Amino acid sequence: MKLKQPKLSSIDLIFRAFSDRTRLRILNLLQGREELCVCDIIAVIAAPQPKISRHLGYLRRAGLVSARKEGLWVHYRLLPAGSPFHKKMLECLSCCLGDVPELKADRAQLMAGDCCG
C-alpha cells in the first residue's frame, strides 16, 4: 500500500526550489531580466535540455517562474513575489552573488552571448 504524500506548502516548495544548485543558478540568471529564452539558460549552465526543463518545471510549480512559448522556444521570467517570504528569498539570492563565484560567472557568461537574438 502506497502512502499518500502530504501536499507541500508554498514555503516548502520555495525552500526546495532554492536548495538545488541548478535551480539556484536558473533563478540567478532570470533575476533582473524581463525574460530569458530556455536556450540561453541551457548554454550558460551547460546541462542537457531535459534536465533544465525539469528544473524549470519545478520552479513553475513552486510559483517562482512563468513561461511563454514563442515558436520553437520557451521564454521564462521570474514571477513577482507572492509573499513576504518569497520576496526575502529573492533578496537573499541577490546578496549571495558575491559569495558564490559560480553565480557571478553565470551572469557574465550570459551577458557575453545571445542564442535567440
Side-chain angles (χ1 to χ4, degrees):
M1 184 167 121
K2 189 173 181 179
L3 294 175
K4 186 177 180 183
Q5 293 288 341
K7 185 176 181 193
L8 295 175
S9 73
S10 62
I11 289 176
D12 291 333
L13 287 172
I14 291 172
F15 264 129
R16 288 181 182 198
F18 276 80
S19 70
D20 180 88
R21 185 175 212 89
T22 300
R23 291 191 291 265
L24 187 65
R25 291 175 71 191
I26 292 169
L27 290 168
N28 172 60
L29 291 173
L30 292 170
Q31 199 167 36
R33 287 173 179 75
E34 187 171 323
E35 65 181 17
L36 195 57
C37 179
V38 69
C39 64
D40 289 317
I41 297 169
I42 291 166
V44 170
I45 295 178
Q49 181 272 327
K51 178 180 180 178
I52 298 300
S53 292
R54 186 177 67 247
H55 286 293
L56 285 163
Y58 191 95
L59 294 172
R60 285 175 63 189
R61 286 188 301 280
L64 298 173
V65 302
S66 66
R68 174 183 68 81
K69 188 165 175 74
E70 184 178 306
L72 298 175
W73 300 109
V74 180
H75 299 265
Y76 289 87
R77 70 175 59 221
L78 281 180
L79 288 172
S83 68
F85 175 76
H86 182 177
K87 183 178 179 182
K88 285 294 183 190
M89 291 300 288
L90 290 174
E91 289 172 5
C92 180
L93 180 59
S94 295
C95 293
C96 293
L97 194 57
D99 294 334
V100 183
E102 187 176 36
L103 298 181
K104 195 171 187 176
D106 284 350
R107 283 188 169 225
Q109 184 177 345
L110 181 63
M111 296 303 290
D114 183 20
C115 98
C116 297

